[in-house]
Amino acid sequence: MTQYFIRRLLLTIPTFIGCTIIVFFIVQLAPGGPLEQQLMALKMGAGNERGGGNARGEGGAMIPESTMESLREYYQLDRSTPARYMIWLGLFPRPINPVVVKDVNEPFRIGEKQGRLEGAPGNYHVVNASNSSQTLDDWTVEEKILKDGTKRVRVYQKEFSGILTGNFGDSSEYREPVGGLIVDRMNVSLQFGLIGLILSYTVCVYLGIQKALKHGSPFDVVSSVLVFIGYSVPGWALGLLLLVLLGGGSFWDVFPLGSFQSRDYETLDFMGKLWDRAAHAVLPTIAYTIAGFASLTVLMKNSILENISQDYVRTAFAKGLRERRVIWVHTLRNSIIPIASRIGFIVAAFITGSYFVEWVFNIDGIGKLSYQAILSRDYNIVFAFTVITVLIQLFGAIVSDFVLALVDPRIRFK
Amino acid sequence: MATDQRSTTATPSQPPNGNEAAVAPPKKSLTINQRRWRKFKGLKRGYYSFLILVTAYILSLFLPLLVNNKAIIVHYNGETYFPAAKSFFVNIPAIGSIFGSDFYSGESFGQVGNSGEAVYRKLQLQYEREGGSNYLLMPLYKFGPIEDISVDGNDPLKAPFDSDSQGQFRLLGTDDRGRDVFARMVYGFTVSISFALIMVLIDYIIGVPIGGMLGYFGGWFDIIMQRIIEIWSTLPILFIVIIIASLIRPDFWMLILILSLVGWIGPTVLMRAEFYREKAKDYVAAAISIGVPTRKIILKHILPNSLVPIITFFPFTVVGGITALVSLDFLGFGLPPPTPSWGQMLGVGLSNITSSWWLVMVPLSAMFSTLLLTVFIGEGIREAFDPKVFSRLR
């Protein structure tokens, strides 16, 4: 059993690498990346300054080659895509604190010290300017000839940091580390997810049992239609419907029209805050969880139906047990197994649906963040979101198996 | 369990009702597919959903003659023209070019000073006023899905059952750019269903052979493909599609292609499992031992026995296809802008949510009913194929 889970954990590594490679290459090989956007902005800026007169000139002529190279280095476009992928993972060193040396004979400032280049071209190394016998080993010298023929010498330090060390890079849009951004937004999304998860499990067990016991009754038929709607219609569309009906404007004004909290949230007292949060949470929570809830209910009902015709249930009745005990103890214990094992998938489904729901309800969660990141080509956020989704999917599947083994002692994975 | 079996074992020997037993000779038993079709017809919810949806889709193929801003027939100066049919044929890819331009200019029908496309609603009034031998037959509902505010009378944000400034009746109102909501909704139906059907067919064409081969031959190919399938199914698919769509602005066929890049996984996994299971059975061993060629074993013996899961899977894949299209369109990463699509309508609806409820409600109702009908069909098919008495979704 332990062996099985260790093997499963190890198998996630190639899958994870495969997934990240695919996303990384799709994004990196696509035209119109951050460099192009930056260039466009620069050209527009230059054009505007000159009154828009000469903006149509050749791009290369307007932006000096050294600036281009700096930009390329900033976006690591001077390296091959596989190298960039390895840097991003954290397996290759990432250049940090780069300094471009304008004159190879003059000292330059690196960190808190003054440094100087020593040695012949092609074989430089950095020494402390005030004490030339002290070699600064942690600085690497990189020399290259640019397209316009000028020579460019750059010194930088190396650092192994990437997603494996928890460094997701900086967001080009928000100018702050992606890790922190994602954690902030994740907190918002997770609140809905957790409430929804608990609610769907409690309600679906009860509803599933009632539907199974009253199979074929009007209650079953009516609730079936509702469950079918929840099953067939995507959560965000149902959320949109509820928003039109209950979110004010045309029909009833029961709930606020989206967003996470009111604008005057800070001025409210504690109960007011609680009420405000709750009012904002109702519709999004339904939208987040309806799909998982519907399939869980159907699964629960069928599972109960399947179990209730088994011999052990007949035996329990024959022993003279009360119906309540037979259903809620004997049958439930066996019927809960397929439901419990879906927990990982439900969590994964929640995160993959989040960008639509958060777009509809204007919630600043992780889904909306990543959606906007695609629009603004903020690749570090896109990558981070992919990594998180993939990890949740992978571990969700393992957790599902684990829960399955937990609730069903007969199951022994090998 | 014992009660569950009754429904399957009973059917072959007992005809469903006495009437038919009298007509058909009692010896003749039904094939499995006839029995399934009977059972499906017996499940009213699924059967009627099937009839409604198929009728609606067939009707929707003739939409250019039913809901359109182009006239069906124009009789002008002794000659008869068919503008709606012409634009319909021209817009079919590949053969369209032989018909030349897809519209008649206003001037060719006596609409003075209009060198662009003729405005047929105006033209109709003009002919009635003139009272000559010229006449014009408009479709039942005379607004097109694409014409916008640039045409007179297409006022933005008209409520349902309202009349616009030209006094024309608008069944379901207009959107923020004056486009007719009813016309866009019905055309959106054709687009959605066609899109989903084509997508699912492509998925199956790719997935069924691959899955079958993986299940039958196994080996290294299978192990490698398993890893690839695991990677594909772990990726956040719609997110990836959004990334790709944001980079290349796809059209109808491109979008189908992108979605099929990931859609083939479903049928592949199902077929692989089926082939794997069937291959281990005795009849396959028997066929191999008497020297039936492999190709024949796969196509004649195993394939017919392993189609059940992908047939029952079909309607649910269609639901997935429609949902994916609407979701992508909703975020603005789907079909290119003038295409009438529910997702795009919902996007417009969301930005006008406080003022114009119909912009959300109309496409939502259309989508809800289509998806619900499809799921009902799926449930019916599943039940018809499933020997158990109760239904299940997965």
Side-chain angles (χ1 to χ4, degrees), chain A residues 131-316:
Chain A
N131 177 12
S132 57
S133 61
Q134 189 192 356
T135 315
L136 300 174
D137 280 331
D138 53 335
W139 291 86
T140 311
V141 185
E142 183 193 61
E143 300 169 64
K144 50 188 157 185
I145 309 289
L146 299 188
K147 270 183 209 147
D148 59 354
T150 52
K151 190 173 175 191
R152 181 185 174 89
V153 181
R154 193 169 71 129
V155 296
Y156 54 81
Q157 283 175 304
K158 285 177 171 176
E159 183 191 60
F160 284 90
S161 82
I163 53 164
L164 295 181
T165 62
N167 175 12
F168 288 99
D170 285 354
S171 151
S172 61
E173 183 84 358
Y174 296 86
R175 306 272 168 203
E176 54 179 293
V178 169
L181 261 177
I182 294 253
V183 169
D184 283 353
R185 303 298 186 93
M186 195 71 171
N187 284 337
V188 175
S189 302
L190 269 184
Q191 287 190 21
F192 293 107
L194 282 181
I195 297 171
L197 192 70
I198 296 166
L199 269 184
S200 22
Y201 267 92
T202 41
V203 178
C204 88
V205 168
Y206 184 77
L207 193 64
I209 291 178
Q210 292 304 323
K211 279 169 67 65
L213 293 182
K214 295 172 186 160
H215 181 60
S217 70
F219 166 77
D220 182 40
V221 173
V222 171
S223 59
S224 276
V225 171
L226 292 179
V227 167
F228 264 126
I229 292 178
Y231 179 78
S232 53
V233 170
W236 62 265
L238 204 71
L240 197 53
L241 176 74
L242 294 174
L243 204 56
V244 171
L245 291 179
L246 305 173
S250 315
F251 297 92
W252 300 279
D253 193 357
V254 185
F255 294 108
L257 196 65
S259 94
F260 187 49
Q261 54 200 28
S262 300
R263 233 172 251 153
D264 56 351
Y265 181 73
E266 291 306 326
T267 65
L268 298 170
D269 60 351
F270 178 72
M271 281 315 285
K273 280 184 178 174
L274 204 66
W275 178 249
D276 186 66
R277 276 282 173 91
H280 280 88
V282 172
L283 298 185
T285 308
I286 295 176
Y288 267 118
T289 46
I290 189 70
F293 167 75
S295 60
L296 281 182
T297 308
V298 175
L299 208 61
M300 185 71 202
K301 181 194 166 186
N302 290 339
S303 176
I304 291 264
L305 276 180
E306 210 154 334
N307 273 297
I308 220 159
S309 56
Q310 303 264 327
D311 287 340
Y312 74 87
V313 173
R314 193 178 305 141
T315 314

Side-chain angles (χ1 to χ4, degrees), chain A residues 15 23 30 228 232-234 236 240 244 249-250 257 298 302 306 355-356 359 371 374-375 377 382 385, chain B residues 45 230-231 239-240 242-243 246-247 323 327 331 333 350 354 357 360 367-368 371 375 379 388 391-393:
Chain A
T15 314
V23 177
F228 264 126
S232 53
V233 170
W236 62 265
L240 197 53
V244 171
S250 315
L257 196 65
V298 175
N302 290 339
E306 210 154 334
Y355 23 88
F356 297 105
W359 186 246
Y371 168 66
I374 295 182
L375 286 181
R377 303 281 157 87
V382 173
F385 180 76
Chain B
R45 189 160 69 179
E230 189 169 327
I231 289 172
F239 191 65
I240 306 288
I242 291 175
I243 295 177
S246 77
L247 299 170
T323 311
S327 303
L331 289 189
F333 291 120
L350 179 65
T354 44
W357 56 269
V360 173
M367 174 183 160
F368 277 28
L371 291 182
V375 169
E379 185 215 22
K388 288 185 179 163
S391 71
R392 22 185 182 159
L393 286 174

Side-chain angles (χ1 to χ4, degrees), chain B residues 212-213 216-217 275 279 284 287-288 291-303:
Chain B
M213 281 197 293
Y216 189 83
F217 295 111
F275 265 68
K279 197 198 168 186
V284 179
I288 293 174
V292 180
T294 310
R295 189 177 50 85
K296 214 170 167 185
I297 291 178
I298 291 178
L299 293 179
K300 282 244 165 98
H301 295 250
I302 301 184
L303 189 65

Side-chain angles (χ1 to χ4, degrees), chain B residues 190-247:
Chain B
T190 327
V191 170
S192 302
I193 300 272
S194 310
F195 183 90
L197 283 179
I198 296 172
M199 195 193 87
V200 174
L201 276 181
I202 292 180
D203 287 353
Y204 275 25
I205 290 172
I206 301 172
V208 170
I210 293 184
M213 281 197 293
L214 291 184
Y216 189 83
F217 295 111
W220 276 107
F221 183 50
D222 184 39
I223 292 174
I224 293 169
M225 285 302 279
Q226 283 287 83
R227 306 274 26 115
I228 292 177
I229 287 172
E230 189 169 327
I231 289 172
W232 274 127
S233 46
T234 309
L235 281 171
I237 295 311
L238 272 187
F239 191 65
I240 306 288
V241 175
I242 291 175
I243 295 177
I244 300 177
S246 77
L247 299 170

